[in-house]
Amino acid sequence: MYACFTGTLRKYTVTFVKASADGGGTLQTINNVNYGTTITAASSYTGATPTTTKGSATDYPFEGWEPASATVQGNTTFTAKFGAPFEAAEITDSWDIILANIANGVDAYNVGDYKPLDLGTEGVVNMQIVGKNTSPLASGSGTATYDWLSMELLATNHRMNRSRSGSSGNYTEGTGTIGGWEKCEMRSYLKETIKPLIPATVRNAIKEVTKYSKIFDTTGTAVNDVSSTEDVWIPSMREIFGGTSYETQGPVYDGVFTDAASRIKSKVGASSASFWWCRSASASINFIGVGSSGDSNSFGAHNSYPLALGFSI
């Protein structure tokens, strides 16, 4: 009780932690550190390199500690810092080099990187890497190296389907959202009209992957996680917004789509944002999509709105 008069040094605990958003938890503890000791986090921490639960160490690299150093005057905490998922950068390699790198197993590009692609009448769009090794190949032999999604919307609006028809409990597939994405007019439009616009070298490299979608069946009942084999596609609700209320399987492109602002898209050359379609059904008559402010919205399948082109290589 007389420590302050006898010269006994006060001792404290130094703790290295991860924030709750990165998975939380204590990484290392140093006990009995003397009052007034200056701790440099980088040299004092001796544990494994921290990682975040948000994603891979490539997309979310460890960048040090906050604070970087501190003079101990009480129990002291250092919190791990992680980098942003990506910095969007244009790929300077040609598509031929990109495809050669992929074929040779050379991982030269990051989530967020983009490359212009000329789609003729639909405009020149920037195809952005939104996922790495996230979409399973339909062949069952692994995953596609990169998932790509256009940063801009294509020039032509298109409906998802004609309006729902049939009677209650016996709706017609291929109308509204009945039968879902696989029975959807938009899917056929992508394959028959948009895919041929992709330059042949890129088009021939596109892989068939397994995708998941929420649909409604002929009774008007919602069915989650219906799988289909896709080459060109538009994204699902889960892929863009995360969560499990629509699909519980498939990737989440949260390296790119981090908030509402990051989901806003506009047509090539347009100054204003547009609603754009996703392939997930929200009701027997409505598909979900992304609003002009980056929020989720749903509209009748018969409405014509823009789309963002996706494919996997």
Side-chain angles (χ1 to χ4, degrees), residues 43-63:
S43 59
S44 298
Y45 177 76
T46 58
T49 301
T51 59
T52 173
T53 53
K54 291 179 180 177
S56 71
T58 299
D59 293 336
Y60 295 83
F62 172 64
E63 292 190 339

Side-chain angles (χ1 to χ4, degrees), residues 251-270:
V252 176
Y253 300 134
D254 55 358
V256 170
F257 299 109
T258 57
D259 55 19
S262 65
R263 301 182 188 102
I264 296 172
K265 290 185 180 291
S266 58
K267 289 187 176 184
V268 177

Side-chain angles (χ1 to χ4, degrees), residues 151-179:
M151 297 173 72
E152 300 83 10
L153 304 173
L154 306 194
T156 304
N157 291 357
H158 201 276
R159 70 185 186 183
M160 293 291 284
N161 254 345
R162 60 193 178 95
S163 298
R164 189 193 66 195
S165 65
S167 56
S168 178
N170 188 28
Y171 296 119
T172 304
E173 284 192 334
T175 69
T177 67
I178 308 304

Side-chain angles (χ1 to χ4, degrees), residues 164 171 175-178 216-217 219-221 281-287 301:
R164 189 193 66 195
Y171 296 119
T175 69
T177 67
I178 308 304
F216 280 75
D217 64 19
T219 68
T221 302
S282 62
S284 65
I285 59 174
N286 293 339
F287 281 95

Side-chain angles (χ1 to χ4, degrees), residues 9 103 122 165 198 288 290:
L9 289 174
E122 294 298 324
S165 65
I198 301 172
I288 201 73
V290 183

Side-chain angles (χ1 to χ4, degrees), residues 28-180:
Q28 182 177 333
T29 299
I30 304 175
N31 295 311
N32 299 317
V33 178
N34 290 335
Y35 176 90
T37 301
T38 297
I39 296 291
T40 301
S43 59
S44 298
Y45 177 76
T46 58
T49 301
T51 59
T52 173
T53 53
K54 291 179 180 177
S56 71
T58 299
D59 293 336
Y60 295 83
F62 172 64
E63 292 190 339
W65 301 95
E66 179 62 40
S69 64
T71 299
V72 174
Q73 297 178 327
N75 291 332
T76 302
T77 300
F78 294 92
T79 303
K81 298 188 303 179
F82 299 93
F86 69 89
E87 293 182 7
E90 182 173 350
I91 299 171
T92 57
D93 291 342
S94 67
W95 276 105
D96 286 339
I97 293 176
I98 293 170
L99 299 176
N101 281 334
I102 294 172
N104 293 325
V106 178
D107 184 8
Y109 315 108
N110 298 313
V111 169
D113 291 349
Y114 61 90
K115 182 69 181 177
L117 186 68
D118 191 343
L119 297 179
T121 55
E122 294 298 324
V124 176
V125 297
N126 289 296
M127 297 301 301
Q128 185 173 45
I129 297 173
V130 292
K132 294 174 67 171
N133 301 306
T134 53
S135 288
L137 294 171
S139 64
S141 59
T143 57
T145 304
Y146 302 116
D147 292 346
W148 304 77
L149 186 69
S150 62
M151 297 173 72
E152 300 83 10
L153 304 173
L154 306 194
T156 304
N157 291 357
H158 201 276
R159 70 185 186 183
M160 293 291 284
N161 254 345
R162 60 193 178 95
S163 298
R164 189 193 66 195
S165 65
S167 56
S168 178
N170 188 28
Y171 296 119
T172 304
E173 284 192 334
T175 69
T177 67
I178 308 304

